[in-house]
Amino acid sequence: MSDIPSARGFDSTLALFRNPYGFISKTCRDLDADLFETRILLQKTICITGAAAAEVFYRENRLIRTNSMPGRIQKTLLGKGGVQGLDGATHQHRKKMFMSLMGTERIAALEGMSVHMLDSFAPGWEVRDEIVLYDEVRELLTRVVCTWAGVPLPETEVSTRTAQLTALFQQAGAVGPKHWAARRARHRLEKWAAGMIQQVRDGKLQPTQESALHVIATWRDLNGELLNSKVAAVELLNILRPTVAVSVFVVQTAHALYRYSQWQEKLRDDEGLLEPFVQEVRRLYPFFPAVAARVRSAFEWRGYHFPEGRRVLLDLYGTNTDPRSWDAPLEFLPERFQSWDENPYNFIPQGGGDHYTNHRCPGEWIAISQMKVFCRYLVNEINYDVPDQGSELASGELPSLPKNRFIMRNIRRRQ
Ligand code: HEM
């Protein structure tokens, strides 16, 4: 058995922090390997990249999620007791709850709500000199997902809830005051969500049967018990937060339309190109860099030993741009998704494997359909100008957005 190659230096936290999307794949290339060992936050960690590595990560339940996430991510992005940290039968049962919310009709309903909301936002955009697209879409998606999920959102709370939900994903990796602000946001949101869960259980709030709030408030775990209200709150936020986070993909889509402007005409002419276009945005634009798990019991892969309990970090971005899976991987070529042989391990912007049995994101269909709604609107329904300055993606930021959050000027609705 060979020793796993090691990264230079004692601990790679800083290197990962400086280059969150490129560190793992670059180090693998330098070492001419698919994996290497290092320390992250002082803990021994095996970093892996590529489709074959993703298959090991997701297949055969060789890895588990219990205690795999750093505490600071749990206290901001994820919360405690949610589906992300469960394993085995308990995970699969809870995952069914999320998957039950993702039927075609429910996704279409959310889509319709976004189109309707866009129509009500657009007249306001026309009378302003400029808008910041990211801010508009975050508010719009907060309104839409709350309605869809059966969550009452009084007008006076819209901006506060939008800001709190944003803090969970935008400041999850931050240090210092921003990290503490994200923790406060989680605390307040969990209190709010737990209150609503209790009201549903007491019959004081009656969201529709198919809404996320109703499904989560009445879901019973394998032992037949209702989820405790704190955990139910975490799961409700597991619907609200990431749907608002789709605003990042929407801004990245707008950025792609601006940078690769020849696509605007093509998309106007051929509705069938919308999906390949947004898939290419999901592949090439950096969002989630990596996911973490731990070795359930020792195993070998390609002659390397993975000891029990060792933390493993799978490189999502590097796998999506791996030259062994993708021709011209750093070029924006939506055509590649026109004749694409779908593979659960080489295209993993929202995790890989199977949606029901693995931890793959249940919100992929929401993300894709919402990106298409906004892309269609930007291409077909409005004209606008984009100022040159500040529209480049900020490198090293997590998630990666244009510095000016994508400013649009002179918005006019097309006839
Ligand atoms: C904004 C775009 C999104 C991105 C980039 C994203 C990314 C991810 C990633 C990387 C994972 C982890 C996969 C793993 O651990 O193997 C994940 C899991 C998850 N996502 Fe998403 N996601 C997005 C949107 C959504 C939406 C819209 C929802 C729900 C409405 C959602 C709900 C979840 C849940 C509940 C999990 C945990 C699944 C599990 O542990 O089994 N996500 N997502």
Side-chain angles (χ1 to χ4, degrees):
M1 207 160 350
S2 336
D3 284 341
I4 296 180
S6 293
R8 251 190 286 146
F10 176 73
D11 185 286
S12 299
T13 311
L14 212 58
L16 180 66
F17 204 69
R18 283 204 198 104
N19 183 12
Y21 298 106
F23 169 70
I24 298 179
S25 55
K26 182 179 179 312
T27 309
C28 282
R29 266 196 313 278
D30 291 349
L31 295 167
D32 194 19
D34 271 354
L35 77 175
F36 64 89
E37 187 148 41
T38 184
R39 282 187 168 79
I40 305 285
L41 294 171
L42 301 175
Q43 263 192 47
K44 278 191 175 178
T45 303
I46 300 173
C47 298
I48 58 179
T49 192
E55 202 164 338
V56 171
F57 192 85
Y58 286 107
R59 255 205 188 157
E60 293 165 24
N61 287 327
R62 282 170 160 176
L63 302 173
I64 52 172
R65 299 302 175 99
T66 312
N67 294 329
S68 65
M69 274 292 158
R72 54 190 302 110
I73 298 290
Q74 211 173 61
K75 287 175 179 136
T76 52
L77 185 71
L78 301 177
K80 275 194 183 153
V83 64
Q84 289 92 344
L86 304 179
D87 289 301
T90 322
H91 170 255
Q92 287 189 23
H93 184 71
R94 186 80 62 81
K95 191 67 176 281
K96 267 193 202 145
M97 176 179 84
F98 285 94
M99 297 305 284
S100 75
L101 299 168
M102 302 300 161
T104 327
E105 280 166 29
R106 296 298 294 144
I107 306 275
L110 187 64
E111 222 175 289
M113 288 177 189
S114 287
V115 173
H116 184 70
M117 196 63 83
L118 271 163
D119 281 335
S120 69
F121 269 51
W125 294 347
E126 283 183 296
V127 296
R128 280 153 66 184
D129 291 340
E130 63 178 39
I131 65 158
V132 176
L133 184 65
Y134 184 52
D135 297 347
E136 299 296 313
V137 179
R138 287 185 301 114
E139 184 192 313
L140 191 155
L141 286 174
T142 301
R143 289 175 182 274
V144 164
V145 72
C146 285
T147 309
W148 181 80
V151 167
L153 182 65
E155 198 54 37
T156 48
E157 287 183 24
V158 172
S159 64
T160 309
R161 297 301 177 202
T162 305
Q164 289 171 340
L165 289 164
T166 306
L168 300 186
F169 62 88
Q170 199 175 293
Q171 290 164 211
V175 287
K178 281 189 174 174
H179 170 75
W180 288 98
R183 281 171 79 146
R184 273 195 304 280
R186 170 153 289 281
H187 181 71
R188 289 177 184 153
L189 286 167
E190 283 187 7
K191 210 167 148 203
W192 172 60
M196 287 185 289
I197 297 287
Q198 201 50 52
Q199 285 181 46
V200 175
R201 290 175 178 171
D202 294 344
K204 293 181 185 150
L205 193 60
Q206 288 164 340
T208 55
Q209 295 273 325
E210 73 277 10
S211 66
L213 177 55
H214 183 272
V215 169
I216 294 169
T218 55
W219 189 260
R220 291 181 185 271
D221 255 346
L222 281 175
N223 55 11
E225 305 278 334
L226 292 171
L227 304 180
N228 90 42
S229 60
K230 257 198 113 178
V231 170
V234 166
E235 300 299 33
L236 182 58
L237 295 177
N238 262 335
I239 295 289
L240 305 185
R241 178 203 72 245
T243 305
V244 176
V246 173
S247 53
V248 172
F249 271 154
V250 171
V251 166
Q252 293 176 336
T253 302
H255 184 270
L257 286 171
Y258 168 66
R259 175 178 274 181
Y260 312 102
S261 55
Q262 71 278 16
W263 275 91
Q264 301 214 9
E265 206 52 50
K266 293 189 201 178
L267 293 167
R268 241 172 248 135
D269 291 345
D270 184 355
E271 166 88 15
L273 288 174
L274 271 179
E275 183 141 336
F277 188 85
V278 303
Q279 292 288 43
E280 184 67 342
V281 171
R282 291 200 319 136
R283 187 189 69 81
L284 190 58
Y285 277 73
F287 196 153
F288 244 84
V291 282
R294 279 186 194 282
V295 175
R296 181 195 295 273
S297 46
F299 68 89
E300 263 178 52
W301 181 56
R302 293 186 172 170
Y304 295 114
H305 180 67
F306 284 61
E308 181 176 335
R310 181 73 87 245
R311 187 160 67 192
V312 179
L313 213 52
L314 170 68
D315 179 19
L316 300 181
Y317 187 71
T319 302
N320 292 339
T321 52
D322 186 335
R324 292 168 299 179
S325 300
W326 305 95
D327 292 333
L330 298 179
E331 282 178 37
F332 186 79
L333 300 171
E335 300 91 338
R336 67 172 96 238
F337 283 102
Q338 279 182 295
S339 56
W340 174 53
D341 203 7
E342 194 161 346
N343 172 323
Y345 303 113
N346 68 6
F347 179 51
I348 53 172
Q350 294 177 233
D354 180 75
H355 289 96
Y356 282 89
T357 53
N358 296 125
H359 284 266
R360 184 171 187 152
C361 176
E364 277 195 290
W365 300 281
I366 289 187
I368 294 167
S369 73
Q370 291 293 316
M371 288 168 82
K372 283 164 70 177
V373 163
F374 283 89
C375 187
R376 195 183 287 117
Y377 209 85
L378 291 174
V379 165
N380 292 326
E381 303 299 329
I382 54 175
N383 288 325
Y384 54 92
D385 301 328
V386 179
D388 273 351
Q389 279 191 354
S391 51
E392 279 314 298
L393 290 195
S395 65
E397 203 182 48
L398 223 154
S400 195
L401 285 160
K403 288 190 202 78
N404 68 8
R405 301 330 194 204
F406 208 79
I407 291 177
M408 290 162 56
R409 293 192 177 140
N410 279 329
I411 298 175
R412 285 102 46 214
R413 272 179 296 173
R414 291 163 74 94
Q415 295 307 311

